Amino acid sequence: NAGVTQTPKFQVLKTGQSMTLQCAQDMNHEYMSWYRQDPGMGLRLIHYSVGAGITDQGEVPNGYNVSRSTTEDFPLRLLSAAPSQTSVYFCASKGQVHSNQPQHFGDGTRLSIL
Amino acid sequence: GDSVTQMEGPVTLSEEAFLTINCTYTATGYPSLFWYVQYPGEGLQLLLKATKADDKGSNKGFEATYRKETTSFHLEKGSVQVSDSAVYFCALSDQNGQNFVFGPGTRLSVLP
């Protein structure tokens, strides 16, 4: 049981490039989310999904797109990378949307934008 | 909106010292409360949780009690080890289960 898997673990981009951060979970979880972690700011929610075909914005959605075509996968897309998007990105999931279950986190993607 | 406040770090302790990391929250209704731990270069791992008032979560010697009257969920450990060095995050999930809010994290360093 792999849990939440994120790829790649590290990435360096140039300003203006695009890329997709991958996230997959094998626990049949309904709820999936993306956070960014910046020094002194904790985790901030970018986008989340409550099921296949349903996504919504979090606290800091600008510059990011998501889709949820399957229960397992929840990719995060940067259409035109900016230095302000340099951060560590975490994907997380939990079983049922309306529950008090904790979220399970991936190991993160460390992204640098030059 | 909902929010979580944690004591500022970093916290530096000697091995076997007593640990307290304060956490208070603001939320409507009855949120669930969590402590997560993040070791260097890794993702967040659930340390413990409490889902209703007066519940005590515990794991690996760490404890926290859900205090609704003081809106607090302070993390404690009686005797810390070097291996406890990490960043600790307090978090809440609203009563709908859809909104997670994290505190800024507290970095703990334990010296031998």
Side-chain angles (χ1 to χ4, degrees), chain B residues 6-24:
Chain B
Q6 284 180 243
M7 61 187 293
E8 294 290 330
V11 175
T12 303
L13 296 173
S14 297
E15 204 165 23
E16 299 184 1
F18 184 86
L19 169 71
T20 299
I21 300 178
N22 290 337
C23 171
T24 57

Side-chain angles (χ1 to χ4, degrees), chain B residues 54-65:
Chain B
D54 300 325
D55 265 2
K56 178 185 284 189
S58 61
N59 185 24
K60 299 180 181 178
F62 291 90
E63 293 183 340
T65 301

Side-chain angles (χ1 to χ4, degrees), chain A residues 1-106:
Chain A
N1 191 342
V4 179
T5 303
Q6 290 184 240
T7 56
K9 293 191 183 304
F10 302 94
Q11 185 70 47
V12 178
L13 293 178
K14 295 182 180 178
T15 297
Q17 287 186 315
S18 63
M19 83 159 294
T20 299
L21 279 61
Q22 302 291 345
C23 175
Q25 52 89 10
D26 61 359
M27 298 173 283
N28 200 32
H29 282 178
E30 286 184 338
Y31 182 93
M32 296 186 74
S33 56
W34 276 102
Y35 293 87
R36 60 178 289 172
Q37 182 180 28
D38 301 295
M41 302 191 73
L43 277 76
R44 293 183 291 170
L45 181 64
I46 304 171
H47 285 284
Y48 66 96
S49 169
V50 299
I54 306 170
T55 63
D56 207 345
Q57 297 181 349
E59 179 185 356
V60 289
N62 292 342
Y64 307 95
N65 282 348
V66 291
S67 60
R68 185 98 179 268
S69 57
T70 66
T71 299
E72 294 78 19
D73 300 301
F74 190 44
L76 178 72
R77 297 183 184 84
L78 284 70
L79 297 180
S80 179
S84 61
Q85 294 178 305
T86 293
S87 188
V88 181
Y89 292 85
F90 289 100
C91 180
S93 72
K94 74 168 186 174
Q96 294 175 311
V97 176
H98 301 294
S99 72
N100 56 23
Q101 297 166 341
Q103 291 198 75
H104 299 260
F105 283 81

Side-chain angles (χ1 to χ4, degrees), chain B residues 17-21 59-63 75-81 83-84 88:
Chain B
F18 184 86
L19 169 71
T20 299
I21 300 178
N59 185 24
K60 299 180 181 178
F62 291 90
E63 293 183 340
L75 183 68
E76 297 182 335
K77 186 175 185 182
S79 176
V80 293
Q81 306 299 313
S83 57
D84 294 326
Y88 292 83

